[in-house]
Amino acid sequence: MSPDEILNSYKPMVEFIARINGNNCEVILHDLRQLENSIIAISNSHVTGRTVGGSITDFALSIIHDKKYEDRDFIANYTGKVANQERELRSSTYFIKDEGKTVIGMLCVNVDVTPLRKAREALDEMLSSDASIEEPGRAAQREAFVPSMEDLLRQSITEAIANYGIEPSRMLADEKKRIVGDLNAKGVFLLKGAVTETARRLETSEQTIYRYLKDF
């Protein structure tokens, strides 16, 4: 089967999974051959506010960059957050691979568990319980859902700069280089325009960013 045929075969699953789990369950099909416009099918888009033609997330970028899909078929039950909202999602991603075992897409399920969390907090207050919805011993994984690739790029750079607590105009070259390294580790430079935007935000040249990237 061609990559298009493989991905198209998953489109019926998008609506199927959403119907099974109800309105609080968003299901998205991503085509990873086009990162900036990777969403090719979506159901219950009100959960994160994304639409067909939207981009992948920061967490998905890191998965691709680190090749976390090579030795597994899926990642289940990690935590997602909707940008600028106090909602919590339980997210899972299934890796879609071609006949050569190369990942070409992702089937993502995001369940809004905010009502359950609020109910749990109310019960915890009554019962003095410390129960957690996440699996015991699981390292916290966070995924940020933003409307577009441009928003994802801006948010990633803003967070990387904020981690250093210094304005770029006051940063040393080594500090700017470490920020580039942090962004590279998250797969940010897989996004179109990432070098240009990073150079602008760090108040340096694109050539300097390319030179830093050669060391990572």
Side-chain angles (χ1 to χ4, degrees), residues 2 68 71-72 78 92 101 121 136 161 168-169 171 175 198:
S2 69
K68 295 178 181 178
D71 59 351
R72 64 182 75 181
Y78 54 89
S92 300
K101 303 301 180 182
E121 290 172 352
I161 292 174
S169 60
M171 286 182 179
E175 291 169 328
T198 301

Side-chain angles (χ1 to χ4, degrees), residues 5 23 36 41 47 91 98 121 169-170 172 188 190 205 208:
E5 290 173 327
N23 290 336
E36 289 80 13
V47 173
S91 301
D98 63 15
E121 290 172 352
S169 60
R170 297 170 50 209
L172 300 175
V188 169
L190 295 172
S205 68
T208 298

